[in-house]
Amino acid sequence: MKLILTQPVSGLGSAGDVVEVKDGYGRNFLLPRKVATAWTKGGQKQVEAIQAGRVKRAAQSAEDAAATRAALEGTTVTVTARAGQAGRLFGAVTPQEIAEAIVAAGGPQVDKRGIEVPTPIRAVGEHRVHVRLHEGISAEVTLDVVAG
């Protein structure tokens, strides 16, 4: 299945890329989440418009991303979550909660879709998360989860 990405997808491509994916992945994951549209000949114009906009914003956003990375690198952010006696959380820490904690700690505003958590955070303690700021620019933040 040939699709046009409308938003960046980790491991697949960025907005405006034309990608070839398996039918089930496109139909069950990408299309319902509105991160891709079906490729058509008329859709090629849409691809060109998205890529032109991306090139225009790329230079300025790369500079902003580098400044944000400098502010985030080495930062420890604290998130309070409900936990049991053994330190297991009731649920998991979400990217939305991480983004809010970064802002609460005095850090810059980050997009929750750019926060990559390798494994679900379901225990109290220190964890590392990656914040994707721009294509090729990411920051690593230490997340301290405490029971509350």
Side-chain angles (χ1 to χ4, degrees):
M1 173 180 274
K2 206 169 191 183
L3 298 173
I4 302 168
L5 296 179
T6 56
Q7 295 178 12
V9 177
S10 183
L12 190 59
S14 56
D17 290 348
V18 177
V19 295
E20 186 77 30
V21 296
K22 293 193 177 195
D23 291 345
Y25 182 56
R27 190 173 40 249
N28 298 324
F29 183 78
L30 297 175
L31 292 174
R33 294 173 196 257
K34 295 185 179 21
V35 296
T37 59
W39 184 88
T40 61
K41 290 182 183 179
Q44 189 63 34
K45 291 179 185 176
Q46 180 184 4
V47 169
E48 292 167 359
I50 291 172
Q51 288 176 344
R54 182 173 40 169
V55 168
K56 199 174 196 181
R57 292 184 304 269
Q60 182 178 2
S61 62
E63 295 169 3
D64 294 342
T68 303
R69 178 182 182 183
L72 285 177
E73 280 293 327
T75 304
T76 300
V77 178
T78 303
V79 174
T80 305
R82 289 183 48 216
Q85 290 180 340
R88 299 267 308 155
L89 300 181
F90 297 119
V93 177
T94 63
Q96 177 68 34
E97 293 171 331
I98 296 169
E100 290 170 357
I102 290 172
V103 172
Q109 184 75 31
V110 294
D111 188 10
K112 69 178 181 180
R113 295 174 293 189
I115 296 175
E116 296 176 350
V117 181
T119 59
I121 300 172
R122 296 188 175 154
V124 173
E126 250 186 37
H127 304 276
R128 298 225 180 249
V129 295
H130 295 280
V131 181
R132 207 172 1 99
L133 303 168
H134 190 272
E135 193 172 322
I137 300 175
S138 65
E140 189 170 288
V141 176
T142 303
L143 186 67
D144 187 24
V145 180
V146 296

